[in-house]
């Protein structure tokens, strides 16, 4: 090949490369800095606080510049990926793959209002430009007029021409709003007012034909004008800003091309460039096989009623897509905050991570990694049509200590059984044992013997400084109950009574078994056939193995009797100090009273005062004769009434 031809080929190649480079520059993402909150702060944004009121039938939001921690909150995916809104149960971080989202407003009510605004200038060379924002809303739905209700206002303003972009500016309220999608929350807080919410929803702002113009985004939230009911919203803005549909570029070897229209419209209708053919009617359009590079298609988008303008948007499909896998930077994991891998998702890409162990979702661009051991993750990224593919690797170093907790012995045993419970952590980790959440002084060995009932766990620390908690183990060490004597029982021959042992265990054994229907249960029935007095022993074995032995005495009588002494000597010598009834076969005492000679009641029986000690109103009563009255019900169901006299002797 002669030098002239070589020079010609080099010139053409250089021209081709330059053309592609320029095209890529023009079509690269040109997003204003931090418009997507990905710096984790409000840099380049303006924050506002203020109030809301109803004036002459209109809703008026008054704001002054100033940020409030209570009204301007940033949620980070790394810290809040599992956090859900308390009313809507949707994630507080936008599910578009964003690393940060904003909550504007709160549940305090009080007629407050909040705002966030961002101003930027569209590059002079960009006549095709669009932004996508996401919103989620939570409103109380009080029985107010529309201008008095909580709200979210979104205003997109062409500041250069002092003209609001109506098709991208909306006002959302809980009732009266034409935009569908509100759901009723199961949670209510004020006056039983219904709480309504709307899950994350994307909207695309079409800024085509506005090259060089300065644009302002303004998000405002407000409570109801009657002060009591709240309204707040979550906001996020996409990381990508481009003038063409996501997915307009495809790879040369793609088997098909998938094109996605802007989000947030009520209906879609796809056409060929000359409108001679309808290609589809959903937000996504798949073309198989892939068309020739340079093919132009159009989509007619129809917004929800009252929320935008009908429009037809064009895009050119070009086979210039390149795919680059970005697995992220190497990181370490200590078991608390998960590691975010990858980068925000890009439309038209298919993501796959390997291995899948420890990943929240191996099919997204930026999963959360919580590996149990140091893991090298490989990210594979391809175009939708499979024509381009790239791979990247990232290593997540696990700093986790071994939190394995071994347990030997029994979780439940009796203190007198000789059994035990011993906990072990693994060798090589620093250990601090806890009981009921409180550190046990000096309990820092890998072996810990449990000597009292409670819930135990350990904090273990690796040599790399990472501290985690082991699982918890609950141990109950039972103590045998001291045997007691049950109240004396009375009955007649052939009359049944039920014995009742204490509910201390699972196994019961009554001895002797005579006259019992079942000597191995908690409450056997006793039916005697002859007069006499009997003593029964019941052996109670608890689940822990602890044994208690109680006593039940019973007398079989021929009749019910009531005896009261005719004198008593309340001199505190512990002999005949109390005047009280002596009964045989009385089941309950209704009345036992003592009266002096003037007819004053000086004593009345109760379970806490079974007898009279000769004191009335803290005064020792004079010796003499007193009248008593008794009334009780016997085991035969008969009421026994008695009256008499008693002599108080000092």
């Amino acid at each position: 090949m002669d030098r002239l031809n070589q020079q010609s080929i080099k010139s053409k190649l250089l021209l081709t490369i330059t053309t592609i480079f320029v095209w890529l520059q023009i079509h690269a993402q040109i997003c204003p800095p931090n418009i997507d909150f990905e710096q984790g702060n409000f840099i380049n944004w303006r924050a506002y606080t203020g109030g809301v009121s109803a004036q002459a039938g209109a809703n008026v939001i008054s704001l002054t510049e100033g940020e409030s921690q209570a009204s301007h909150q940033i949620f980070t995916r790394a810290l809040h990926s599992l956090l859900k809104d308390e009313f809507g149960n949707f994630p507080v971080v936008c599910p578009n793959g964003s690393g940060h989202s904003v909550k504007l407003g709160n549940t305090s009510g009080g007629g407050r209002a909040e705002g966030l605004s961002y101003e930027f200038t569209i590059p002079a060379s960009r006549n095709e430009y669009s932004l996508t924002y996401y919103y989620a809303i939570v409103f109380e739905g009080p029985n107010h007029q529309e201008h008095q209700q909580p709200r979210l206002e979104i205003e997109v303003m062409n500041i250069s021409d002092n003209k609001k972009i109506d098709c991208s500016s909306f006002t959302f309220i809980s009732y009266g709003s034409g935009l569908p999608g509100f759901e009723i929350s199961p949670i209510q807080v004020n006056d039983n007012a219904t709480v309504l919410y709307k899950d994350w929803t994307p909207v695309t702002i079409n800024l085509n034909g506005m090259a060089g113009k300065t644009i302002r985004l303004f998000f405002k939230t407000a409570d109801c004008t009657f002060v009591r009911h709240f309204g707040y919203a979550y906001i996020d803005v996409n990381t990508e800003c481009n003038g063409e549909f996501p997915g307009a570029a495809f790879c040369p070897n793609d088997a098909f091309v998938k094109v996605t229209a802007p989000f947030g419209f009520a209906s879609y209708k796809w056409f060929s460039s000359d409108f001679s053919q309808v290609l589809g009617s959903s937000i996504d359009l798949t073309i198989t096989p892939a068309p020739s590079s340079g093919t132009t298609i159009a989509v007619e988008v129809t917004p929800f009623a009252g929320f935008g303008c009908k429009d037809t948007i064009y895009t050119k499909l070009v086979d210039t897509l390149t795919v680059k896998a970005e697995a992220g930077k190497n990181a370490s994991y200590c078991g608390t905050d998960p590691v975010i891998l990858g980068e925000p998702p890009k439309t038209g890409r298919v993501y796959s991570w390997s291995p899948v162990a420890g990943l929240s979702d191996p099919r997204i661009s930026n999963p959360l990694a919580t590996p149990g051991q140091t893991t090298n993750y490989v990210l594979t990224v391809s175009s939708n049509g499979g024509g381009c593919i790239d791979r990247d690797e990232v290593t997540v170093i696990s700093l986790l200590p071994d939190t394995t907790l071994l347990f030997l012995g029994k979780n439940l045993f009796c203190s007198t059984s000789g059994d035990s419970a011993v906990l072990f952590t693994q060798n090589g980790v620093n250990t601090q044992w806890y009981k009921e959440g409180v550190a046990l002084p000096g309990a820092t060995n890998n072996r810990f013997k449990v000597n009292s009932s409670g819930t135990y766990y350990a904090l273990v620390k690796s040599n790399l400084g990472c501290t985690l908690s082991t699982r918890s183990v609950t141990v109950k060490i039972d103590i045998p109950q001291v045997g007691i004597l049950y109240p004396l029982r009375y009955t007649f021959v052939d009359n049944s009574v039920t014995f009742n042992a204490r509910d201390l265990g699972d196994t019961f054994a009554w001895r002797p078994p005579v006259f019992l229907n079942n000597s191995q249960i908690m409450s056997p029935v006793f039916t005697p056939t002859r007069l006499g007095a009997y003593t029964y022993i019941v052996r109670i074995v608890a689940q822990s193995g602890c044994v208690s032995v109680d006593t039940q005495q019973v007398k079989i009588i021929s009749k019910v009797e009531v005896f009261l002494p005719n004198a008593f000597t309340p001199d505190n010598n512990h002999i005949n100090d109390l005047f009280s009834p002596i009964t045989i076969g009385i089941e309950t005492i209704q009345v036992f009273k003592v009266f002096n000679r003037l007819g004053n009641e000086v004593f009345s029986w109760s379970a806490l005062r079974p007898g009279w000690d000769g004191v009335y109103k803290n005064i020792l009563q004079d010796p003499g004769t007193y009248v008593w009255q008794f009334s009780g019900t016997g085991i035969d169901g008969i009421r026994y009434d008695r009256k008499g006299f008693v002599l108080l002797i000092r």
Side-chain angles (χ1 to χ4, degrees):
M1 184 181 295
D2 58 39
R3 182 176 298 177
L4 183 60
N5 287 337
Q6 289 179 353
Q7 185 65 38
S8 175
I9 291 173
K10 288 181 180 179
S11 298
K12 290 179 180 179
L13 180 60
L14 180 61
L15 178 61
T16 300
I17 293 173
T18 303
T19 302
I20 293 174
F21 177 74
V22 171
W23 190 95
L24 288 173
Q25 278 192 315
I26 293 174
H27 291 77
Q29 300 173 16
I30 308 176
C31 270
N34 201 40
I35 195 171
D36 52 7
F37 304 109
E38 290 308 292
Q39 293 183 22
N41 52 42
F42 292 108
I43 290 176
N44 295 327
W45 285 84
R46 290 183 176 181
Y48 304 85
T49 57
V52 62
S53 61
Q55 300 179 19
N59 184 278
V60 178
I61 296 177
S62 303
L63 297 174
T64 56
E65 193 165 345
E67 182 181 331
S68 166
Q69 277 190 325
S71 301
H72 303 88
Q73 295 177 266
I74 290 184
F75 292 103
T76 302
R77 188 165 181 263
L79 300 177
H80 307 107
S81 61
L82 301 179
L83 186 62
K84 301 291 186 68
D85 179 82
E86 60 181 307
F87 297 101
N89 200 36
F90 53 78
V92 299
V93 179
C94 184
N96 65 345
S98 172
H100 303 79
S101 297
V102 170
K103 181 181 180 182
L104 190 58
N106 52 50
T107 59
S108 298
R112 296 182 177 89
E114 306 81 20
L116 280 172
S117 71
Y118 191 104
E119 293 183 11
F120 65 96
T121 300
I122 300 174
S125 60
R126 295 302 301 267
N127 272 319
E128 293 180 346
Y129 199 87
S130 65
L131 286 174
T132 299
Y133 67 84
Y134 292 76
Y135 69 91
I137 312 171
V138 178
F139 294 141
E140 281 192 292
N143 186 23
H144 298 339
Q145 298 183 46
E146 289 186 23
H147 70 279
Q148 299 165 336
Q149 293 186 37
R151 65 197 51 234
L152 165 67
E153 292 186 2
I154 301 175
E155 179 187 86
V156 184
M157 190 81 176
N158 178 352
I159 297 178
S160 299
D161 299 334
N162 193 30
K163 182 179 179 181
K164 185 166 71 171
I165 303 174
D166 292 325
C167 291
S168 302
S169 301
F170 312 119
T171 297
F172 303 98
I173 58 177
S174 52
Y175 291 119
S177 171
L179 196 68
F182 281 97
E183 301 286 343
I184 297 177
S185 171
I187 301 174
Q188 297 176 338
V189 287
N190 291 322
D191 301 333
N192 291 323
T194 299
V195 177
L196 297 102
Y197 67 92
K198 194 171 189 295
D199 203 345
W200 284 101
T201 304
V203 174
T204 295
I205 305 172
N206 187 346
L207 300 173
N208 291 344
M210 297 187 186
K213 303 292 185 180
T214 298
I215 306 298
R216 182 182 66 201
L217 306 181
F218 211 145
F219 300 96
K220 306 174 187 177
T221 56
D223 302 327
C224 83
T225 60
F226 287 100
V227 176
R228 189 171 181 82
H229 303 97
F230 63 79
Y232 62 87
Y234 297 90
I235 304 295
D236 198 10
V237 181
N238 249 12
T239 298
E240 292 187 346
C241 308
N242 55 54
E244 296 186 351
F245 295 176
F250 62 95
C251 289
N253 296 320
D254 277 347
F256 61 88
V257 174
K258 182 178 179 181
V259 189
T260 301
F263 287 106
F265 291 93
S267 63
Y268 302 85
K269 197 170 185 179
W270 296 87
F271 296 93
S272 57
S273 59
D274 58 1
F275 289 87
S276 62
Q277 183 180 2
V278 176
L279 305 177
S281 58
S282 65
I283 190 172
D284 297 318
L285 176 67
T286 300
I287 304 174
T288 307
S292 301
S293 182
T295 298
T296 299
I297 57 175
V299 61
E300 180 183 84
V301 290
T302 303
F304 293 102
F307 289 92
C309 304
K310 189 174 184 178
D311 198 2
T312 300
I313 311 171
Y314 299 85
T315 190
K316 181 180 291 187
L317 307 179
V318 290
D319 62 354
T320 56
L321 180 65
T322 58
V323 171
K324 182 173 177 56
E326 295 287 349
K329 296 181 180 179
N330 293 340
S332 58
Y333 174 60
C334 185
T336 51
D337 299 335
V339 176
I340 300 180
L341 304 183
E343 62 178 358
K346 296 179 180 178
T347 305
R349 282 25 169 213
V350 177
Y351 299 90
S352 176
W353 292 85
S354 179
V356 301
L359 296 183
S360 59
D361 188 341
R363 297 164 298 177
I364 62 175
S365 66
N366 50 354
L368 301 178
T370 56
Q373 58 188 6
T374 298
T375 304
N376 185 56
Y377 290 105
V378 178
L379 169 63
T380 301
V381 181
S382 64
S383 59
N384 275 333
C388 299
I389 191 169
D390 192 34
R391 291 182 176 86
D392 193 21
E393 298 182 3
V394 63
T395 299
V396 180
I397 300 172
S398 176
L399 306 179
L400 302 178
D402 190 337
T403 59
T404 302
L405 181 70
L406 298 179
F407 176 76
L408 296 180
K410 295 182 178 180
N411 291 88
L412 174 63
F413 59 92
C414 188
S415 60
T416 59
S417 66
D419 292 322
S420 63
V422 184
L423 304 174
F424 297 88
T425 57
Q426 300 303 295
N427 293 326
V429 295
N430 296 319
T431 302
Q432 171 63 62
W433 293 98
Y434 285 74
K435 176 184 178 182
E436 309 298 347
V438 178
L440 298 173
T444 57
N445 293 327
N446 291 92
R447 179 183 181 275
F448 179 79
K449 183 175 182 179
V450 178
N451 55 23
S452 62
S453 298
T455 299
Y456 295 84
Y457 67 91
L459 285 184
V460 292
K461 185 177 182 180
S462 69
N463 293 331
L464 299 173
C466 183
T467 301
L468 289 179
S469 172
T470 67
R471 65 186 177 95
S472 297
V473 173
T474 299
V475 176
K476 182 179 179 182
I477 303 176
D478 205 359
I479 299 174
Q481 299 293 309
V482 176
I484 64 172
L485 176 65
Y486 298 153
L488 176 66
R489 302 294 300 274
Y490 292 94
T491 189
F492 301 115
V493 172
D494 296 326
N495 186 60
S496 298
V497 294
T498 301
F499 293 165
N500 291 293
R502 286 189 291 172
D503 189 8
L504 299 178
D506 302 321
T507 304
F508 302 87
W510 293 84
R511 295 291 182 273
V514 61
F515 300 142
L516 300 179
N517 70 326
N518 189 337
S519 63
Q520 304 298 316
I521 62 175
M522 180 178 174
S523 301
V525 177
F526 172 76
T527 308
T529 59
R530 59 180 178 269
L531 296 175
Y534 298 90
T535 298
Y536 286 85
I537 302 298
V538 57
R539 186 175 188 269
I540 308 169
V541 181
Q543 187 179 2
S544 64
C546 284
V547 177
S548 299
V549 179
D550 293 344
T551 303
Q552 174 70 71
Q553 293 179 333
V554 59
K555 289 184 178 181
I556 298 88
I557 60 177
S558 58
K559 63 179 181 177
V560 175
E561 298 183 73
V562 178
F563 303 97
L564 283 103
N566 56 16
F568 75 115
T569 58
D571 52 9
N572 292 324
N573 67 350
H574 305 294
I575 300 174
N576 201 26
D577 283 338
L578 287 180
F579 174 57
S580 59
I582 300 170
T583 65
I584 297 176
I586 290 293
E587 196 164 48
T588 57
I589 297 176
Q590 282 82 34
V591 176
F592 173 51
K593 295 181 179 181
V594 180
F595 303 88
N596 62 19
R597 67 188 62 188
L598 298 177
N600 297 323
E601 181 183 304
V602 296
F603 174 77
S604 180
W605 177 91
S606 71
L608 298 178
R609 298 185 66 201
W612 185 40
D613 59 1
V615 176
Y616 175 58
K617 292 185 177 180
N618 295 322
I619 298 175
L620 296 176
Q621 298 301 291
D622 293 333
T625 301
Y626 292 80
V627 178
W628 57 265
Q629 178 184 353
F630 173 88
S631 181
T633 302
I635 60 174
D636 52 7
I638 298 174
R639 186 181 178 102
Y640 292 83
D641 297 315
R642 301 285 189 272
K643 291 182 180 180
F645 300 93
V646 64
L647 182 62
L648 189 159
I649 302 173
R650 292 195 185 278

